[in-house]
Amino acid sequence: MFRNYTKLSVSLHDGINVVYGDNGAGKSNFLEGISLFAPGKGLREENIKNFLFQEKEHFRLSTSVEGPLGLTRLVAFSEDTLSQNSYTPLSNSENSKQKIQRLFLRDGQPMRRIQNIVADIRQVWIGTYIERLIGGNNQQKRKFLDRMIAFFYPTYNTHITRYEKLLRMRLHCLYNPHNYHNTWLTSIERQIAENAVAIAATRCEFVDKFNRESKIFQHNGALGHILPRLKIMLDGFVENSLQECSASDTEDMFMAYLSQHRDAHKYSNRMDRGIHLSVIDFFNCDKNMLASLTSTGEKKILGIALAFIQLHLMRQLSYNYMPILLFDEVSAHLDKNHRFLVFEELKRLNVQAILTATQRETFEELNNDALFFHCHNARITPEY
């Protein structure tokens, strides 16, 4: 059970899959279910409670995937955190009062780290939300960047989790100075600095690779020629320091900042520097302007460029192991020429893709190259 689905079993083609049907039939819910086999909150960044079917208390999803580690069966399901079981909750981003957690099994065994799922299944998502993301607030863009990075650097989320936990521990120490020795607080600040530098260094490395690949993509292939060149801009205290100083010096600098501003952080309950405040922006190089200032249609096109650059990067950095592409209601916003070139690029990359739209005619160029499914009232039926 998941969202509006009580039960569903679908066998997908290893190439391009098309799911079409009326609004509200369950197309996006189907893609969202697949997207939950990845770090984060899924395609639409929803609270886990919204995944439940009507008044039911739990959801359960399962899939069989063939990746670098061979054929693997993965299960994602929800469970009350108060129930007695041996499983370890993997979604630590939820509020501590949340009674429902998402858990994973891999070949029947509990997964201790959600990051490990990346070894079995990698995904690239793009949907109708993309224009809101590109024009959205900095926190949304930062989370999106971090999720992209996690697919290339499996230990990246571990540093993020540690960093956030250490910030909470430090604040608790500041509020209770009599309960903690200064040496303990200094040790926490040292670990904060070490994890911050590790995160910032990985961000800088990834952004540099992304921007170089974006430039290459624009000059290679017909699709790259018609899509705008996209650039990621990264601005942060730690990231900027790494451009001028060594990692060791940056750690010392950030640790000194933490030590010198303890009182200010205690009374304000926040820091004004850190990798959790870094500014992320997308830039349209062809128009020489921030992507957030472009039109809604241009944001959708930039989102497509963003997805394909990720695909090309994954092909280079993942030993030709291609991810699954989830393309939710995007094709309908393209003109016929753009759609044709997008479909041709998908075929050239030999990627497993799942595309959705309301009208079958949107994909007429794929009549001989895709497996079509009709979605109606939470049922997905293949057309053979």
Side-chain angles (χ1 to χ4, degrees), residues 68 311-323 349-350:
L311 289 175
H312 280 265
L313 273 176
M314 285 186 175
R315 185 171 64 171
Q316 293 178 19
L317 303 179
S318 304
Y319 305 101
N320 293 321
Y321 169 45
M322 294 301 292
L349 289 173
N350 194 30

Side-chain angles (χ1 to χ4, degrees), residues 102-229:
R102 179 173 48 142
L103 305 135
F104 289 90
L105 301 177
R106 184 181 185 276
D107 291 332
Q109 298 300 313
M111 293 185 68
R112 299 296 178 184
R113 293 180 180 273
I114 192 172
Q115 293 88 344
N116 295 343
I117 205 169
V118 177
D120 296 299
I121 181 171
R122 292 179 173 88
Q123 304 179 31
V124 173
W125 312 333
I126 177 173
T128 53
Y129 68 92
I130 195 68
E131 70 270 15
R132 298 194 301 273
L133 168 71
I134 290 178
N137 63 48
N138 191 56
Q139 184 180 20
Q140 291 174 313
K141 288 183 274 194
R142 191 169 52 246
K143 284 185 176 181
F144 182 82
L145 176 65
D146 286 340
R147 190 176 71 229
M148 276 199 297
I149 295 173
F151 281 115
F152 294 93
Y153 302 87
T155 62
Y156 180 75
N157 275 341
T158 302
H159 289 293
I160 293 282
T161 301
R162 286 177 183 168
Y163 177 84
E164 292 173 347
K165 181 179 180 180
L166 288 163
L167 289 186
R168 294 192 295 270
M169 290 174 62
R170 177 176 179 265
L171 197 57
H172 185 74
C173 290
L174 293 177
Y175 280 131
N176 302 275
H178 301 297
N179 297 338
Y180 299 95
H181 194 276
N182 186 64
T183 304
W184 174 243
L185 182 55
T186 301
S187 174
I188 290 176
E189 290 174 344
R190 168 60 69 183
Q191 293 177 68
I192 290 174
E194 290 171 350
N195 280 277
V197 169
I199 293 165
T202 306
R203 281 179 180 170
C204 291
E205 180 180 335
F206 176 80
V207 168
D208 183 59
K209 288 179 179 178
F210 181 95
N211 290 339
R212 280 190 278 113
E213 183 59 34
S214 178
K215 189 173 183 179
I216 294 170
F217 176 67
Q218 190 181 44
H219 292 91
N220 292 337
L223 182 62
H225 283 307
I226 67 168
L227 293 179
R229 182 184 161 200

Side-chain angles (χ1 to χ4, degrees), residues 209-277:
K209 288 179 179 178
F210 181 95
N211 290 339
R212 280 190 278 113
E213 183 59 34
S214 178
K215 189 173 183 179
I216 294 170
F217 176 67
Q218 190 181 44
H219 292 91
N220 292 337
L223 182 62
H225 283 307
I226 67 168
L227 293 179
R229 182 184 161 200
L230 181 67
K231 181 180 180 181
I232 297 177
M233 301 174 67
L234 177 60
D235 182 26
F237 174 75
V238 183
E239 290 89 346
N240 294 343
S241 178
L242 283 172
Q243 304 303 314
E244 302 175 357
C245 307
S246 66
S248 177
D249 288 344
T250 301
E251 284 181 14
D252 292 340
M253 187 184 307
F254 192 41
M255 187 177 174
Y257 159 78
L258 293 171
S259 179
Q260 294 166 10
H261 293 81
R262 289 175 181 176
D263 287 341
H265 296 163
K266 173 183 176 180
Y267 293 118
S268 65
N269 196 32
R270 63 183 298 275
M271 295 162 51
D272 58 358
R273 296 179 184 178
I275 56 95
H276 59 296
L277 298 171

Side-chain angles (χ1 to χ4, degrees), residues 360-384:
R360 193 188 192 285
E361 292 73 21
T362 304
F363 305 103
E364 60 181 356
E365 296 93 343
L366 292 173
N367 281 337
N368 300 319
D369 299 293
L371 179 59
F372 283 76
F373 297 83
H374 182 227
C375 182
H376 179 68
N377 289 338
R379 290 182 175 87
I380 297 179
T381 309
E383 296 181 356
Y384 294 111

